[in-house]
Amino acid sequence: MSKAPVSAPKPAAGTGYSYDDIDHREPTGHGNSPAAWTTVMVMLVGALIMSIAFVLANTTIFIVGGVVLLIGLAIGFVMRKAGYGVGGSKLKNSGH
């Protein structure tokens, strides 16, 4: 086995991209907030309803599932504006 150090491949010349331009000092978040979790849960219920309706070939229930998905988006937007999103005024985020 070689004892040479292993390094990441360098980007192609002239691409304008460099691995050194990435700033990892600030955490990215990941949407860990009550608004995000509520939105995801409501939208998962909507997707489940739509999936069951698809198997049953029921258009009405399928549309109801789509409406539940849209309601989930609206709930997330309203909760974020109310201060329950990442960095919101109602939360004291201390990280993960």
Side-chain angles (χ1 to χ4, degrees):
M1 294 193 120
S2 172
K3 300 226 182 227
V6 178
S7 62
K10 299 292 181 193
T15 60
Y17 181 79
S18 169
Y19 292 114
D20 298 331
D21 292 339
I22 300 172
D23 183 14
H24 293 284
R25 291 177 291 186
E26 301 263 339
T28 57
H30 302 297
N32 193 8
S33 69
W37 281 102
T38 304
T39 300
V40 168
M41 288 299 160
V42 172
M43 291 181 75
L44 281 173
V45 169
L48 177 65
I49 292 170
M50 290 177 78
S51 300
I52 292 170
F54 183 80
V55 170
L56 298 176
N58 191 326
T59 306
T60 306
I61 296 176
F62 187 84
I63 292 172
V64 168
V67 169
V68 171
L69 282 174
L70 294 175
I71 289 171
L73 283 175
I75 288 173
F77 181 76
V78 169
M79 286 183 72
R80 182 175 57 114
K81 290 297 182 185
Y84 290 100
V86 173
S89 61
K90 304 280 178 115
L91 302 176
K92 183 178 180 183
N93 284 341
S94 61
H96 286 57

